[in-house]
Amino acid sequence: MLMGTCLTLFVSAWAFVRLWSVEAAAGMAFAAMLLPPLASWAANRRGPDDRWWDDPSGDPQSDEWWAELDGKKKPGPP
């Protein structure tokens, strides 16, 4: 929805709003410029229960090292 709003603001600003007020069109384009970073921030937000950093990577050695660094596993013999 944010990206649709961004496109609507940008296209309408330079398609017909500029005919009445260039300042308003520039303001609309500026507002449209701010929306894509906000949209990516909102779309990539993690939930409070999402513990993505605890997911195993698939590499057993790397997962073992991370478990040791996080204190979940005691270091084994060399």
Side-chain angles (χ1 to χ4, degrees):
M1 287 181 54
L2 284 172
M3 292 305 292
T5 303
C6 172
L7 286 173
T8 302
L9 279 172
F10 190 77
V11 170
S12 63
W14 299 115
F16 58 87
V17 172
R18 69 177 169 85
L19 300 174
W20 291 290
S21 172
V22 174
E23 292 83 9
M28 289 172 67
F30 182 75
M33 177 185 75
L34 297 177
L35 288 178
L38 292 176
S40 67
W41 176 73
N44 292 320
R45 184 177 169 272
R46 303 276 185 191
D49 297 335
D50 193 4
R51 295 186 54 98
W52 56 272
W53 58 87
D54 288 342
D55 290 344
S57 68
D59 178 17
Q61 186 176 17
S62 175
D63 291 340
E64 184 179 332
W65 288 341
W66 282 110
E68 183 180 328
L69 287 172
D70 291 338
K72 295 178 185 173
K73 181 180 177 188
K74 300 292 181 201

